[in-house]
């Protein structure tokens, strides 16, 4: 892998990390803490949405985010010929 | 068969299993001892990380705390899981590529400085020692409650078990026992959670029962009727800013805890490190999404079975009498009306419930068979022992690897290194045991330290070490030292010497977030004002960023 390619790989990696971390902050810090009160006006199932996000939704999203990262990085690794 | 016999049977069985695994995993070389020969499959490392991470506090105390804090208990749920996203995206793959044994290894090499290494060692030792004392205490408490053994004897039994597999097998022994411990602790947690969900809602899956049954709404109503805030009411106990700061401090602290980070050194390659973080969080989430459900059900059920009941009715409940004897549950009919009443006002409240009772008493409250209670005891022990062993390895490697081998005696042979490692694990176990039997009065208070200090010390310098090539030795040392000193100053001031929490009322638990921000700023500014790192270091950073060309650890040395 030459220098340009490895820079492109690193940029793509950073963009992916940035996007996933935006979702990470959105579900936990924004929805579950800063906006919890307005969101609690909405019901999910039989519980207020903001409360549900804080105690269930954010955690489930975290798990999904990590697997998305791993799978997307596999694709990136293949694209740049790091792994067959 | 009595509960005690079942408990002795289960505990003995699980201990025999740990000893057997420890014997099978014994090692001779330093790579095996410190990083399990870097041959742990991602799913197994995920399970080991989950057990390493979930301590006696997660298993026994967390659901109880949530049931008393309601919404505000979410700080623990999000804080202790969200950090894994940071770990998986920002730290684990690169540290695995780096491939060496400890967190101070990375700090020392990346910042080409034994001073930086030493600061990292001191922080790692401090964080791990405060944490491990609590685990040994947890072992003692489980023994004393379930087996009526005194706490000191319980701690000594626990010490012998941990010492056996960690001295013989180092990280390899610890890893495989942790995998077994995860299975035991998760089964032990889910059986009662599922049973009480079934009992109250007819749905055995706690997460679904929590979301789709009326229990949360009913609990809100019950709380209002008794004069409490609604269970789902945000910021009933802590301000919004404090909830935000504590959550971030716990997340970042989790990602900076050395005993969690080193688990990612044990997998075969970078790809395995990425997936293994996902498995770890999935395994953790199984408990962490069940815990808030259990918290809600148990609180609802406790209030319903105890509040406004006559003294005679309460006396007929076997579990109420049993837990009253342990002083975790207390009744006092202050107004002499023949009934026990639960109120938010401590002057009129007649039922005192210790948070620890929520998980421990659920099997009895839900009328489960005695063997379930025995499994819960074995699960609590698994949680405490697995976390303790991970911490002990960090303590031992900080001294035996980072100080003895990397600083004092770089020409030490394999045999010497492993020998010193074993001695240090042994000493660390003894020290942890001592603190377990004679807990310093401040143990409960210093848990805030572990997360706050990890957040304010390691996290920024590791992140910048990977993502910012310009960060240099001067910046890293200045950042770690200011972050640590500020956080210690605030925590000690607020917790021990009556300082007002002057930073917008943010509590000692949440101040690590500010410490981390200070560390980031200082590190970046000082780095810009001093010479850039040497070319070789910049090339090393370049190399960390690509998973290509991984070398086995010995070749990197």
């Amino acid at each position: 892998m030459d220098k340009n390619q490895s820079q492109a790989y690193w940029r793509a990696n950073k963009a992916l990390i940035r996007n996933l971390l935006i979702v990470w902050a959105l579900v936990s810090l924004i929805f579950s803490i800063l906006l919890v009160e307005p969101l609690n006006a909405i019901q999910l199932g039989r519980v207020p949405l903001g409360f549900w996000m804080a105690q269930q939704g954010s955690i489930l999203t975290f798990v999904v985010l990590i697997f998305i990262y791993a799978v997307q990085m596999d694709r990136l690794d293949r694209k740049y010929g790091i792994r067959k | 068969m009595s509960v005690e016999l079942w408990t002795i049977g289960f505990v003995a069985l699980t201990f025999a299993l740990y000893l057997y695994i420890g014997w099978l995993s014994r090692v001779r070389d330093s790579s095996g001892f410190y990083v399990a020969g870097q041959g742990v499959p991602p799913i197994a490392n995920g399970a080991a990380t989950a057990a390493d991470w979930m301590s006696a506090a997660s298993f026994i105390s967390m659901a109880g705390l949530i049931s008393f804090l309601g919404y505000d208990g979410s700080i623990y749920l999000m804080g202790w899981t969200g950090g894994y996203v940071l770990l998986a995206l920002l730290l684990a793959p690169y540290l695995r590529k780096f491939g060496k044994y400890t967190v101070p290894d990375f700090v020392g090499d990346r910042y080409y400085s034994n001073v930086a290494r030493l600061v990292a060692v001191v922080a790692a030792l401090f964080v791990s020692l405060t944490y491990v004392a609590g685990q040994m205490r947890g072992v003692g408490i489980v023994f004393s409650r379930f087996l009526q053994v005194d706490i000191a004897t319980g701690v000594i039994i626990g010490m012998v078990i941990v010492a056996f597999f960690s001295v013989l097998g180092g990280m390899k022994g610890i890893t495989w026992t942790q995998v077994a411990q995860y299975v035991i602790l998760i089964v032990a947690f889910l059986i009662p959670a599922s049973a009480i969900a079934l009992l109250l809602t007819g749905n055995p899956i706690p997460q679904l029962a929590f979301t789709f049954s009326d229990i949360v709404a009913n609990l809100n109503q019950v709380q209002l009727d008794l004069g409490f805030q609604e269970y789902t009411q945000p910021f009933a106990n802590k301000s919004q800013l404090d909830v935000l700061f504590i959550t971030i401090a716990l997340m970042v602290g989790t990602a900076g805890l050395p005993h969690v980070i080193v688990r990612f050194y044990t997998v075969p390659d970078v790809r395995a490190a990425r997936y293994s973080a996902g498995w770890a969080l999935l395994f953790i989430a199984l408990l962490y999404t069940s815990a808030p459900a259990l918290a809600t059900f148990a609180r609802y059920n406790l209030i319903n079975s105890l509040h406004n009941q006559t003294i005679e009715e309460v006396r007929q409940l076997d579990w109420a009498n049993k837990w009253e004897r342990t002083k975790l549950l207390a009744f006092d009919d202050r107004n002499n009306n023949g009934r026990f009443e639960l109120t938010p006002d401590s002057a009129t409240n007649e039922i005192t419930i210790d948070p620890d009772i929520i998980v421990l008493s659920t099997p009895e409250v839900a009328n489960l068979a005695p063997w379930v209670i025995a499994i819960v005891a074995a699960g609590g022990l698994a949680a405490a022992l697995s976390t303790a062993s991970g911490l002990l390895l960090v303590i031992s490697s900080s001294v035996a690897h980072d100080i003895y081998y990397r600083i004092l005696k770089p020409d030490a042979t394999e045999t010497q290194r492993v020998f010193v490692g074993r001695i240090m694990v042994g000493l660390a176990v003894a020290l942890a045991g001592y603190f377990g039997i004679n807990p310093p009065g401040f143990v409960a208070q210093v848990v805030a330290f572990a997360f706050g200090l990890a957040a304010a010390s390691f996290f920024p310098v590791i992140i910048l070490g990977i993502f910012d090539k310009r960060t240099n030795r001067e910046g890293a040392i200045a950042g770690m030292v200011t972050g640590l000193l500020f956080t210690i100053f605030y925590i000690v001031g607020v917790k021990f010497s009556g300082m007002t929490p002057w930073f917008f009322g943010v509590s000692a638990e949440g101040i690590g977030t500010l410490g981390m921000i200070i560390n980031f700023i200082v590190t970046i500014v000082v780095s810009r004002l001093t010479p850039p790192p040497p070319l070789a270091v910049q090339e090393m950073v370049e190399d960390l960023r690509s998973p290509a060309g991984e070398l086995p650890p010995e070749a990197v040395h």
Side-chain angles (χ1 to χ4, degrees):
Chain A
M1 198 159 63
D2 65 28
K3 205 164 168 62
N4 281 336
Q5 265 203 313
S6 61
Q7 273 174 1
Y9 173 82
W10 183 241
R11 265 199 309 276
N13 179 17
K14 278 196 293 192
L16 178 60
I17 293 173
R18 184 197 59 218
N19 295 341
L20 294 174
L21 285 184
I22 289 174
V23 179
W24 168 81
L26 210 61
V27 296
S28 55
L29 308 180
I30 310 286
F31 291 167
S32 298
I33 299 176
L34 297 176
L35 297 181
V36 63
E37 283 162 324
L39 284 180
N40 273 351
I42 306 166
Q43 293 271 315
L44 185 127
R46 306 300 306 270
V47 293
L49 180 60
F51 171 78
W52 186 85
M53 280 307 294
Q55 303 214 334
Q56 301 278 316
S58 57
I59 302 171
L60 301 173
T61 314
F62 295 155
V63 177
V64 174
L65 287 177
I66 299 181
F67 279 108
I68 291 179
Y69 181 68
V71 170
Q72 291 291 338
M73 286 308 286
D74 273 357
R75 292 171 64 174
L76 211 59
D77 286 353
R78 273 197 299 276
K79 186 177 162 194
Y80 286 87
I82 289 167
R83 223 178 300 275
K84 297 294 167 300
Chain B
M1 217 159 114
S2 77
V3 175
E4 271 74 29
L5 269 178
W6 275 110
T7 311
I8 293 172
F10 269 115
V11 169
L13 203 67
T14 56
F15 279 17
L17 178 70
Y18 306 153
L19 293 178
Y20 177 66
I21 296 173
W23 177 250
L24 289 183
S25 323
R26 61 198 185 279
V27 292
R28 293 179 187 286
D29 59 340
S30 62
S31 163
F33 193 82
Y34 291 118
V35 289
Q38 300 187 318
V40 181
I43 298 189
N45 189 52
T49 309
D52 197 38
W53 173 236
M54 293 191 283
S55 58
S58 285
F59 188 92
I60 298 172
S61 310
M62 191 179 68
L65 281 172
I66 297 167
S67 81
F68 284 79
L69 290 172
Y71 163 86
D72 291 358
S74 316
I75 51 175
Y76 302 115
L77 294 167
M78 289 188 284
W80 286 339
T81 53
Y84 279 85
V85 179
L86 301 174
L87 251 175
L89 274 52
L90 301 172
L91 305 177
Y94 314 102
L95 291 174
R96 174 59 194 84
K97 176 69 192 294
F98 175 70
K100 297 217 203 127
Y101 297 162
T102 65
V103 174
D105 251 347
F106 176 80
V107 175
D109 286 8
R110 168 62 181 81
Y111 296 111
Y112 44 99
S113 154
N114 275 346
V115 177
R117 193 186 304 274
L118 215 55
V119 175
V121 169
V122 171
L125 280 176
F126 195 85
V127 168
S128 305
L129 277 172
T130 49
Y131 217 104
V132 80
Q135 300 308 317
M136 280 304 182
R137 190 72 188 160
V139 172
I141 288 172
V142 173
F143 267 106
S144 68
R145 272 182 209 160
F146 287 93
L147 292 169
Q148 280 79 48
V149 193
D150 71 25
I151 288 189
T153 316
V155 169
I156 291 170
I157 298 173
M159 274 169 56
V160 170
I161 303 288
V162 176
F164 181 83
F165 62 75
S166 52
V167 169
L168 261 188
M171 189 57 136
K172 194 174 168 203
I174 288 172
T175 301
W176 293 106
T177 36
Q178 280 174 340
V179 173
Q181 284 160 339
Y182 174 74
V183 175
I184 291 162
L185 84 86
I186 198 68
V187 168
F189 197 86
L190 292 182
I191 290 179
S194 168
I196 194 166
L198 186 66
L199 187 78
L200 292 186
T201 69
N203 185 336
I205 300 167
Q207 291 83 350
L208 296 179
F210 177 73
T211 311
F212 296 106
S213 76
D214 291 327
I215 297 290
V216 172
N218 292 347
L219 179 58
N220 274 345
Q221 194 52 51
V222 169
Q223 298 244 118
L224 285 180
D225 293 346
L226 295 182
F228 290 90
Q229 301 250 35
E230 279 191 345
Y231 187 76
T232 58
Q233 171 69 42
F235 320 121
N237 308 286
K238 298 175 195 302
S239 76
Q240 187 168 33
L241 187 76
D242 204 21
V243 167
L244 186 69
F245 267 64
I246 296 174
T247 306
I248 296 175
L250 295 179
M251 284 174 168
V252 176
T254 302
L257 283 178
H259 71 286
V260 177
I261 294 178
V262 292
R263 289 245 41 101
F264 294 95
Y265 285 98
T266 65
V267 293
D269 56 24
V270 172
R271 182 170 183 267
R274 296 184 196 130
Y275 278 96
S276 136
W279 290 115
L281 188 58
L282 179 67
F283 292 139
I284 293 168
L286 262 170
L287 190 146
Y288 271 59
T289 53
S290 306
L294 174 61
T296 312
F297 301 152
R299 179 161 181 86
Y300 181 75
N301 197 34
L302 270 181
I303 294 179
N304 265 352
S305 353
L306 299 177
H307 173 69
N308 217 16
Q309 304 294 318
T310 61
I311 297 177
E312 296 75 45
E313 282 167 333
V314 171
R315 291 289 163 238
Q316 281 172 5
L317 298 168
D318 278 342
W319 58 266
N321 294 323
K322 181 186 160 188
W323 289 100
E324 191 181 14
R325 280 198 297 276
T326 64
K327 302 196 173 60
L328 294 178
L329 190 61
F331 302 99
D332 179 9
D333 185 21
R334 294 179 189 196
N335 59 6
N336 293 316
N337 68 348
R339 291 173 185 275
F340 294 124
E341 282 141 319
L342 185 69
T343 70
D345 179 1
S346 59
T348 56
N349 181 34
E350 299 177 346
I351 308 174
T352 317
I353 305 166
D354 186 289
D356 281 355
I357 199 177
I358 295 290
V359 169
L360 298 179
S361 71
T362 301
E364 292 155 300
V365 178
N367 248 328
L368 299 181
W371 60 267
V372 177
I373 301 166
I375 287 191
V376 171
L381 284 172
L385 290 178
S386 57
T387 306
S389 55
L391 289 159
L392 290 167
L393 193 89
V394 167
I395 295 168
S396 136
S397 62
S398 294
V399 180
H401 179 77
D402 297 318
I403 298 183
Y404 170 76
Y405 172 60
R406 296 304 301 267
I407 300 180
L408 296 179
K409 202 169 185 298
D411 58 346
T413 63
E414 271 292 302
T415 322
Q416 284 173 324
R417 289 169 60 193
V418 176
F419 178 71
V420 175
R422 292 195 213 273
I423 300 278
M424 288 318 303
V425 173
L427 281 180
V429 175
L431 187 68
Y434 175 81
F435 282 131
I437 297 170
N438 308 294
F442 55 88
V443 159
Q445 309 264 335
V446 294
V447 181
F449 268 123
F451 289 91
L453 295 184
S457 59
F458 294 125
F459 185 75
V461 298
I462 300 178
I463 294 277
L464 290 172
I466 298 159
F467 287 83
D468 178 46
K469 269 194 272 184
R470 186 64 180 76
T471 298
N472 63 10
R473 170 181 62 196
E474 291 78 1
I477 296 174
M480 279 197 289
V481 171
T482 40
L484 276 175
L485 288 182
F486 169 78
T487 310
I488 291 175
F489 164 76
Y490 195 95
I491 295 179
V492 171
V494 170
K495 287 270 184 192
F496 302 109
S497 49
M499 185 171 83
T500 50
W502 47 266
F503 186 76
F504 302 104
V506 168
S507 59
E509 285 79 8
I511 203 63
T513 303
L514 185 61
M516 168 196 73
I517 296 170
I518 292 175
N519 181 339
F520 266 116
I521 295 172
V522 170
T523 308
I524 291 170
V525 170
V526 172
S527 294
R528 277 1 182 228
L529 297 175
T530 44
L535 224 55
V537 168
Q538 300 193 29
E539 275 164 16
M540 179 188 116
V541 175
E542 205 57 65
D543 185 57
L544 285 184
R545 294 176 175 182
S546 163
E550 287 175 67
L551 296 170
E554 287 314 312
V556 188
H557 270 229

